[in-house]
Amino acid sequence: MSSVVEAEQAIKATKENTKLPVICTFAFEPGIKGFRTMMGVKPDRAAKVAAAAGADIVGANCGNGISNMIEITRQMRAAAPNVPILIHANAGPPVMEDGKTVFKRRRTHGFLCGRVGASRRQHYRWLLREHSGPHYGYG
């Protein structure tokens, strides 16, 4: 997500119409004023709004390697200390070389807040079991 308004609407709609846990992640880019979504939202505000709207898990995804995600996680944790955080760090931003998309950084880390080496599906199941509790049927 990039907009807290859209995120809040999506979270509330999902909560009102399903019994599924809601995971809301945002994509941040580094800039002169720190990390922001393309709509100008800082990590702390994103986490606070998503949690207040009812997200069971908040987090960040895309475009940043693990070093940037550590700082983003710190900011989100400060704003939402009791909400699980999901981080999907990738190998940094892609570049074009000889007409091909290339990731210059090697993917050397697993998920920051999960099990290293787990597939995405395994990771989500683990997160739900560990953080959602029995009311979602995973405990």
Side-chain angles (χ1 to χ4, degrees):
M1 303 295 284
S2 58
S3 163
V4 290
V5 173
E6 290 175 354
E8 184 176 38
Q9 291 172 348
I11 294 164
K12 287 181 177 182
T14 304
K15 287 295 197 176
E16 290 170 7
N17 294 288
T18 75
K19 293 181 180 180
L20 297 171
V22 176
I23 300 170
C24 182
T25 62
F26 293 83
F28 299 98
E29 293 294 325
I32 296 170
K33 295 182 179 182
F35 293 99
R36 302 279 194 281
T37 68
M38 64 190 269
M39 301 300 287
V41 180
K42 298 189 306 184
D44 59 340
R45 182 154 189 265
K48 193 176 290 188
V49 170
D56 298 287
I57 300 169
V58 299
N61 62 280
C62 299
N64 287 287
I66 196 72
S67 59
N68 284 348
M69 288 298 198
I70 291 170
E71 179 55 32
I72 291 167
T73 302
R74 282 188 187 118
Q75 293 177 33
M76 294 184 102
R77 173 55 62 225
N82 298 314
V83 179
I85 294 178
L86 171 67
I87 299 297
H88 278 251
N90 63 13
V95 296
M96 293 297 288
E97 285 186 358
D98 299 323
K100 294 181 181 179
T101 303
V102 177
F103 290 89
K104 290 290 195 173
R105 295 185 205 149
R106 287 184 33 212
R107 183 175 172 175
T108 56
H109 297 276
F111 299 99
L112 182 61
C113 296
R115 299 178 309 164
V116 174
S119 72
R120 221 173 246 204
R121 178 176 283 164
Q122 290 168 327
H123 182 65
Y124 283 132
R125 287 180 181 159
W126 177 84
L127 277 170
L128 292 172
R129 271 196 316 274
E130 293 296 313
H131 300 289
S132 295
H135 55 287
Y136 292 115
Y138 290 97

